[in-house]
Amino acid sequence: MKLVVGLGNPGDKYKNTRHNIGFDAIDWFCDQYNFPVFNYESKFESFVSNSIVSDEKVLLAKPQTYMNLSGKAVSSISNFYKIPFEDILIVYDDIDMPTGKIRFKFDGAAGGHNGIKDTIKRLGTDKFGRLKIGIDRPDNKEMITPWVLGRFTEKEYEAIYSQKDDIVKLIVNWLDGKL
């Protein structure tokens, strides 16, 4: 089994915000591969869905622990199902990349992303896959929190949405062992 986790914050207040692009990416993947409806699993503090893609059992998760505690959900799921770290992919926003740019990475530091910091801390390793989606950064450093919790402009969303198929394809390539 492989675990693909989209990071974000729970609730309508945060829907369609820059920080929730991980949830959006998981939804795009879910829709394209006809996963069943997500169900809330309290033991994981996450919405989860599972199916088979490329002959691989895949569990999708959207943690409801808030971004800064994402590792709590990721570690609960990986421990319960005994999923090896290399079979975990985290999809999340990156303020250090231009809006719409995507990049796969395996291991390394959190790069200032609190959800990844918590995941590394709780898993006890940085040896897991990451699919980073650029959301750019504000000019004023003090505006980072309102920026990531803010909604995309129409132009920004178009830049992200134009990458939708490539994002889904990268997830499939990761599942197929091509990354």
Side-chain angles (χ1 to χ4, degrees):
M1 174 186 292
K2 293 195 176 184
L3 172 62
V4 182
V5 181
L7 299 190
N9 285 310
D12 289 338
K13 177 180 177 182
Y14 299 105
K15 191 173 182 161
N16 300 319
T17 61
R18 291 177 183 94
H19 230 8
N20 276 31
I21 194 63
F23 283 3
D24 293 341
I26 293 298
D27 288 340
W28 297 334
F29 180 79
C30 182
D31 290 346
Q32 192 161 334
Y33 284 89
N34 298 312
F35 274 68
V37 173
F38 280 85
N39 290 307
Y40 183 74
E41 290 283 343
S42 58
K43 66 185 167 200
F44 304 136
E45 296 183 66
S46 299
F47 280 99
V48 297
S49 180
N50 64 69
S51 189
I52 305 291
V53 177
S54 300
D55 297 323
E56 182 74 51
K57 186 169 184 179
V58 179
L59 179 63
L60 302 179
K62 296 190 285 185
Q64 302 297 293
T65 54
Y66 289 94
M67 182 64 76
N68 294 353
L69 299 175
S70 297
K72 183 176 181 186
V74 174
S75 65
S76 294
I77 296 167
S78 65
N79 288 338
F80 183 84
Y81 288 107
K82 299 182 182 0
I83 299 171
F85 303 130
E86 63 271 10
D87 289 340
I88 299 172
L89 177 66
I90 310 292
V91 184
Y92 62 100
D93 62 288
D94 189 321
I95 64 171
D96 292 321
M97 294 184 347
T99 300
K101 182 171 177 158
I102 54 177
R103 184 176 146 209
F104 175 82
K105 178 181 178 185
F106 184 82
D107 73 22
H113 193 285
N114 291 328
I116 296 299
K117 279 182 192 175
D118 191 60
T119 301
I120 291 169
K121 175 183 162 192
R122 291 177 190 259
L123 290 179
T125 186
D126 66 354
K127 306 290 185 211
F128 54 87
R130 299 136 198 236
L131 178 52
K132 300 165 23 157
I133 302 170
I135 62 165
D136 217 343
R137 71 169 45 245
D139 294 331
N140 182 344
K141 196 175 185 177
E142 293 176 12
M143 295 302 293
I144 288 178
T145 298
W147 177 262
V148 298
L149 297 180
R151 301 204 187 311
F152 290 108
T153 65
E154 189 174 319
K155 183 179 177 183
E156 290 169 332
Y157 191 76
E158 286 173 11
I160 298 270
Y161 196 79
S162 71
Q163 297 296 327
K164 174 182 163 184
D165 291 338
D166 289 337
I167 290 167
V168 170
K169 187 175 182 178
L170 275 169
I171 295 171
V172 173
N173 285 342
W174 176 79
L175 290 170
D176 289 342
K178 295 178 181 174
L179 294 177

